């Protein structure tokens, strides 16, 4: 392992596309540290990733939500550290069989990926905690996976309305210990970008848990 790559400060501007995978066996080797981004297809996940990495073209945004059908991996400037863009859920105009296939392989990734350090759940602050969002929160709670929630599109609301929405979300999540960060976020105004980056660094730089003897 290159010592220069292990000592560098993490820079999200360094994010570069690595590979796309439709199945777990197509993913990069399962070592290092990954943080995955999930969300309904119209929640602003791609825009959030682009804002965090200061790269407007990193994750493809589309006027037809749901076009991300693969698990997309992005490298950072520290060896073994990756961001992962999971397929959007619930909007794409595709067959039920194809949706079921995506969800099966997505489940394999979430359940079996040992280097996964945390999940970032992207939800529209105006329509928070959909059935999909609730399912992901409960999954993280059950599997003891740290969860960060980005309440996106905050610029679409007046600040008072956004604050009230955040309080409502926080109250509904009180019972879930997996929720480590709840961040008001706007890819347009960049609100919450620095807070999100700091939390990502904490997860990606955390020492690996000691293996069982």
């Amino acid at each position: 392992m290159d010592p220069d790559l292990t000592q560098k400060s993490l820079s999200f501007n360094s994010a570069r596309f690595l590979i796309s995978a439709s199945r777990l066996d197509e993913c990069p080797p399962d070592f290092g540290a990954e943080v995955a981004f999930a969300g309904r297809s119209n929640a602003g996940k791609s825009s959030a990733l682009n804002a965090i990495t200061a790269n407007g073209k990193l994750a493809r945004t589309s006027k037809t939500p749901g076009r991300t059908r693969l698990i997309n991996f992005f490298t950072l400037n520290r060896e073994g550290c990756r961001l992962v863009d999971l397929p959007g859920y619930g909007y794409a105009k595709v067959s039920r069989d194809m949706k079921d296939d995506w969800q099966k392989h997505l489940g394999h990734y979430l359940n079996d990926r040992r280097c996964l350090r945390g999940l970032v759940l992207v939800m529209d602050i105006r329509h928070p905690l959909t059935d999909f969002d609730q399912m992901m929160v409960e999954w993280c709670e059950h599997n003891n996976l740290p969860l960060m929630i980005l309440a996106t599109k905050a610029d679409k609301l007046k600040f008072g309305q956004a604050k009230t929405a955040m309080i409502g979300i926080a109250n509904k999540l009180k019972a879930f210990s997996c929720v480590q960060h709840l961040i008001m976020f706007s890819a347009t105004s960049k609100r919450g970008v620095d807070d999100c980056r700091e939390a990502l660094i904490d997860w990606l730089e955390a020492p690996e848990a000691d293996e069982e003897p």
Side-chain angles (χ1 to χ4, degrees), residues 113-126:
R113 193 71 172 168
R114 294 188 305 274
C115 64
L116 183 61
R117 296 291 183 85
L119 184 73
V120 180
L121 180 58
V122 179
M123 63 178 72
D124 188 329
I125 194 171
R126 301 166 299 174

Side-chain angles (χ1 to χ4, degrees), residues 48-77:
L49 261 169
N50 290 345
I52 291 161
T53 59
N55 182 343
K57 297 180 179 178
L58 186 79
R60 184 173 63 174
T61 58
S62 172
K63 291 182 179 178
T64 307
R67 291 187 64 184
T68 304
R69 303 179 184 183
L70 301 172
I71 303 173
N72 294 310
F73 293 82
F74 303 95
T75 60
L76 296 172
N77 64 326

Side-chain angles (χ1 to χ4, degrees), residues 63-135:
K63 291 182 179 178
T64 307
R67 291 187 64 184
T68 304
R69 303 179 184 183
L70 301 172
I71 303 173
N72 294 310
F73 293 82
F74 303 95
T75 60
L76 296 172
N77 64 326
R78 181 170 302 181
E79 192 167 358
C81 288
R82 294 175 294 274
L83 301 179
V84 184
D85 185 11
L86 300 177
Y89 174 87
Y91 199 98
K93 296 178 181 177
V94 297
S95 70
R96 179 169 294 278
D97 285 346
M98 188 175 286
K99 278 189 179 179
D100 290 344
D101 192 51
W102 293 350
Q103 290 171 44
K104 179 180 73 174
H105 292 303
L106 192 56
H108 288 165
Y109 172 82
L110 290 170
N111 285 312
D112 300 332
R113 193 71 172 168
R114 294 188 305 274
C115 64
L116 183 61
R117 296 291 183 85
L119 184 73
V120 180
L121 180 58
V122 179
M123 63 178 72
D124 188 329
I125 194 171
R126 301 166 299 174
H127 312 289
L129 295 172
T130 63
D131 289 346
F132 169 76
D133 299 330
Q134 193 68 40
M135 179 181 73

